[in-house]
């Protein structure tokens, strides 16, 4: 296995602990993770659209707002995990604060 990296998977393990996969990104589990990430991002986009519709109508019930808050919170947690996972797999850039020294070089 060449160029193997640890990837944060889009699901949690027992006790809510993060799951990682060490892979070159071409295996079956990587493809499953990619598909789940796509589904999570699509769900989040749909919830944002629904939230805008509900809020624009200005005729919501407390129950509707509570359900929307719960769903948006779950979706935000998923999107954050996807961003963290994908960000960790990006190569460091010249603009990365951890790469640039204190003198800016």
């Amino acid at each position: 296995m060449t160029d193997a990296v640890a990837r944060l998977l889009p699901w949690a393990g027992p006790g809510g602990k993060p799951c990682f996969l060490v892979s070159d990104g071409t295996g079956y589990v990587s493809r499953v993770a990619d598909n789940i990430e796509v589904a999570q991002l699509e769900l989040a986009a749909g919830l944002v659209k629904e939230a805008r519709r509900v809020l624009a109508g200005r005729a919501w019930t407390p129950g509707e707002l509570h359900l929307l808050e719960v769903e948006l919170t779950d979706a935000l947690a998923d999107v954050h995990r996807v961003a963290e996972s994908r960000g960790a797999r990006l190569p460091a850039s010249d603009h990365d604060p951890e790469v640039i020294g204190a003198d800016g070089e």
Side-chain angles (χ1 to χ4, degrees), residues 1 5-11 19-38 85 89:
M1 186 181 309
V5 296
R7 173 188 182 165
L8 176 64
L9 294 172
W11 55 80
C19 289
F20 292 91
L21 171 68
V22 176
S23 162
D24 63 0
T26 61
Y28 175 76
V29 176
S30 290
R31 289 191 305 276
V32 170
D34 290 342
N35 291 335
I36 289 174
E37 285 180 353
V38 167
S85 176
R89 289 179 277 145

Side-chain angles (χ1 to χ4, degrees), residues 11-74:
W11 55 80
K17 294 185 179 186
C19 289
F20 292 91
L21 171 68
V22 176
S23 162
D24 63 0
T26 61
Y28 175 76
V29 176
S30 290
R31 289 191 305 276
V32 170
D34 290 342
N35 291 335
I36 289 174
E37 285 180 353
V38 167
Q40 289 172 326
L41 294 173
E42 288 174 351
L43 175 64
L47 283 169
V48 168
K49 197 173 185 180
E50 176 66 9
R52 288 185 173 143
R53 185 193 65 76
V54 167
L55 296 173
R58 297 188 182 268
W60 57 80
T61 67
E64 288 172 320
L65 284 180
H66 178 73
L67 178 59
L68 186 58
E69 179 270 331
V70 169
E71 290 175 339
L72 284 170
T73 300
D74 289 344

Side-chain angles (χ1 to χ4, degrees), residues 81-96:
R81 183 184 294 264
V82 170
E84 186 178 358
S85 176
R86 291 182 179 185
R89 289 179 277 145
L90 291 175
S93 73
D94 293 338
H95 303 291
D96 189 336

